[in-house]
Amino acid sequence: MSPQVSCLHTLGYPPAQAQGLHVTGISWNSTGSVVACAYGRVDHGDWSMLKSFVCAWNLDRRGLSPRQPSAVVEAPSAVLCLAFHPMQPSHVAGGLYSGEVLVWDLSRPEDPLLWRTGLTDDTHTDPVSQVVWLPEPGHSHRFQVLSVATDGKVLLWQGIGTGQLQLTEGFALVTQQLPRSTKLKKHPRGETEVGATAVAFSSFDPRLFILGTEGGFPLKCSLAAGEAALTRMPSSVPLRAPAQFTFSPHGGPIYSVSCSPFHRNLFLSAGTDGHVHLYSMLQAPPLTSLQLSLKYLFAVRWSPVRPLVFAAASGEGDVQLFDLQKSSQKPTVSIKQTQDESPVYCLEFNSQQTQLLAAGDAQGTVKVWQLSTEFTEQGPREAEDLDRLAAEVAT
């Protein structure tokens, strides 16, 4: 291992690993002391019927047992994504292969399920790609769950007393309503829905979000969009068309997007073409494109504390850390997460304990990496360098 990064913990849940389940999602809770992972499968076989798990470990607890999570929740179908509540340290939302969204309270081991969407007309008809907690407009302490899926729907859910997640707002991505800023390939079967594969919200405008798509192009979208979506999909609330701008595509589907916490116009995307693109919100072509893998890239995340640092998870079993202050083309550190080069599917920085980065892989393992101060302490001109980067216009 390099002196810059060391492995603190190797966590896993043997019953899930024995079933051949992958770690498909990862999240840190609001205190930064608990890491949770979702177990599912990335390759879609008939996994929908298989029971699955969400597991959590409290890293601050004395006598941490890496193969005995402090909380285990059974899920009715493979869990593909996970997000802890921003303020309630034991509440976690998960998106399932079945299209359902569930919220659990990990502090109630006997009865952890708080809310679920149930299988209604409002529920996603495809596996849920990502879930995010959003503050309710006008309430800084009340949150809703937003979910996106490859069925082209972006849905906002509110937990109500009866254990039900109720749809409060919905959006649908329809091909003929996409802003045509780039030449996009026509869909062969006259498909109208555009599959959403990833979502990231702006840190500067709470209504602004970026969607990654199966078509490989990022979309700039807004929760404030008023136009009705031209869709026949059934829904208990009118679905709106959120897309405002289409960026130039990757060479294949996008798996992950991440908005800069330090600059309102910058975001990253990564996908099946093995490239990370750095985009400005203000123009269609990427500012820069980095080929990090010959295989897929499954996740990309900006550092919460270093404006020019980001991490990416590769299909070759690496976690790559980039410091754009050092090099714009190659990683500062490349960490081997899996010995057999099986893929790393997800990673998340810890915004409370900023030296920690967690990553989950195809072996069903979560590794918690400790980063040296060079990845956690801002350089003297870092914010200016980021501004300079954002001001470059793609040629």
Side-chain angles (χ1 to χ4, degrees), residues 250 269-277 289-293 295 297:
H250 281 259
S269 61
T272 57
D273 62 359
H275 286 72
V276 163
H277 284 183
S289 173
L290 308 166
Q291 181 167 12
L292 305 193
S293 171
K295 296 186 181 173
L297 288 178

Side-chain angles (χ1 to χ4, degrees), residues 72-269:
V72 176
V73 169
E74 281 204 6
S77 148
V79 189
L80 299 183
C81 51
L82 205 61
F84 265 113
H85 190 287
M87 297 169 115
Q88 297 274 4
S90 64
H91 290 188
V92 67
L96 305 193
Y97 186 89
S98 64
E100 264 205 279
V101 176
L102 278 66
V103 177
W104 297 279
D105 180 347
L106 300 182
S107 69
R108 306 191 330 198
E110 299 309 307
D111 179 25
L113 186 63
L114 276 180
W115 298 302
R116 67 189 298 176
T117 52
L119 292 165
T120 70
D121 274 352
D122 287 334
T123 314
H124 289 290
T125 52
D126 274 11
V128 179
S129 317
Q130 204 173 337
V131 287
V132 184
W133 291 91
L134 296 180
E136 266 186 58
H139 294 275
S140 57
H141 297 300
R142 296 208 345 228
F143 288 81
Q144 298 174 301
V145 181
L146 177 128
S147 59
V148 305
T150 48
D151 60 5
K153 287 200 282 195
V154 177
L155 303 175
L156 262 166
W157 306 94
Q158 179 71 56
I160 53 178
T162 56
Q164 180 88 21
L165 281 174
Q166 188 174 36
L167 188 63
T168 57
E169 287 184 76
F171 302 87
L173 299 169
V174 183
T175 309
Q176 60 264 42
Q177 287 178 294
L178 294 186
R180 293 278 174 206
S181 38
T182 57
K183 292 185 175 62
L184 301 174
K185 295 196 271 298
K186 280 275 183 279
H187 289 282
R189 301 194 295 281
E191 289 164 41
T192 57
E193 278 78 38
V194 177
T197 50
V199 63
F201 273 79
S202 163
S203 303
F204 296 87
D205 176 349
R207 295 160 310 187
L208 182 71
F209 60 103
I210 297 292
L211 285 176
T213 65
E214 288 183 310
F217 47 90
L219 289 171
K220 180 176 155 185
C221 298
S222 173
L223 294 175
E227 187 188 354
L230 303 171
T231 176
R232 288 199 184 81
M233 289 192 270
S235 173
S236 66
V237 302
L239 298 177
R240 311 202 303 278
Q244 298 183 322
F245 190 77
T246 308
F247 298 91
S248 307
H250 281 259
I254 291 175
Y255 276 135
S256 185
V257 286
S258 180
C259 290
S260 167
F262 294 96
H263 199 289
R264 62 169 44 250
N265 289 330
L266 294 179
F267 71 92
L268 296 165
S269 61

Side-chain angles (χ1 to χ4, degrees), residues 13-32:
Y13 184 51
Q17 294 169 291
Q19 286 183 28
L21 293 176
H22 305 154
V23 174
T24 48
I26 212 158
S27 186
W28 292 98
N29 79 341
S30 58
T31 67

